[in-house]
Amino acid sequence: MTRRILLVNGPNLNLLGTREPEIYGEETLTDVEAHVGRVAGDFGLEVRAVQSNHEGVLIDAIHEAREDCSAIIINPGAFTHTSIALRDALSGVALPVAEVHISNVHAREDFRRHSYISGVADCVIVGCGVQGYELAVRRLAAVLAG
Ligand code: DQA
């Protein structure tokens, strides 16, 4: 088994730290990716981090994960609520998937309550702030350990 996790962040998550900090906190995406890498390292796992504002780039990254990753952590941003293509990419590669949302999408606008991704995710972590990414690593490490 490849001991690597793909960490995918979708649109606008490159703005973490400055974007609506009252909702998303003050940590930057660089902070988050470094932390995820450290936690994964504790389990002997590597992380490849990808962020894009473009749906097709995210889909290509997910397809490439088939070659050299064993699991995927994804915060699809607003594509959560719109993208059947992203859902199909995730189900197509058939790797364990953890869906993460920094904010509690259920306590916000109605349109954020529906996720196209959750139906193909193995776990969904919502409203835990950026700590959700760490929880996702821990869960996927347990899943991969069998
Ligand atoms: C988000 C929630 C989405 O509704 C929103 O579009 C985002 C971030 C979250 O992490 O809470 O971009 O996925």
Side-chain angles (χ1 to χ4, degrees):
M1 183 193 78
T2 314
R3 300 213 45 94
R4 187 177 299 109
I5 292 176
L6 177 68
L7 169 63
V8 181
N9 277 286
N12 301 307
L13 290 161
N14 54 312
L15 301 181
L16 272 185
T18 57
R19 171 195 186 197
E20 299 177 274
E22 65 288 359
I23 297 176
Y24 298 112
E26 294 191 346
E27 284 187 63
T28 66
L29 184 60
T30 305
D31 295 335
V32 168
E33 289 173 349
H35 186 65
V36 166
R38 277 193 298 273
V39 176
D42 293 343
F43 293 96
L45 293 162
E46 278 177 36
V47 173
R48 179 161 71 237
V50 175
Q51 187 280 328
S52 179
N53 298 318
H54 305 279
E55 194 174 13
V57 173
L58 300 173
I59 291 169
D60 288 345
I62 290 166
H63 290 179
E64 282 160 22
R66 266 185 313 186
E67 309 298 324
D68 61 357
C69 295
S70 297
I72 298 175
I73 299 171
I74 184 165
N75 182 344
F79 290 147
T80 307
H81 319 297
T82 63
S83 182
I84 297 170
L86 211 48
R87 175 196 174 105
D88 285 351
L90 290 166
S91 52
V93 301
L95 295 172
V97 173
E99 177 185 354
V100 174
H101 298 286
I102 298 166
S103 66
N104 179 358
V105 284
H106 300 291
R108 300 180 63 193
E109 301 94 330
D110 278 353
F111 64 81
R112 294 187 202 277
R113 298 178 73 98
H114 177 258
S115 167
Y116 279 105
I117 307 305
S118 298
V120 297
D122 295 275
C123 69
V124 182
I125 300 164
V126 164
C128 297
V130 293
Q131 194 188 4
Y133 292 97
E134 171 177 341
L135 299 174
V137 174
R138 293 184 183 283
R139 175 63 190 158
L140 289 178
V143 168
L144 294 176

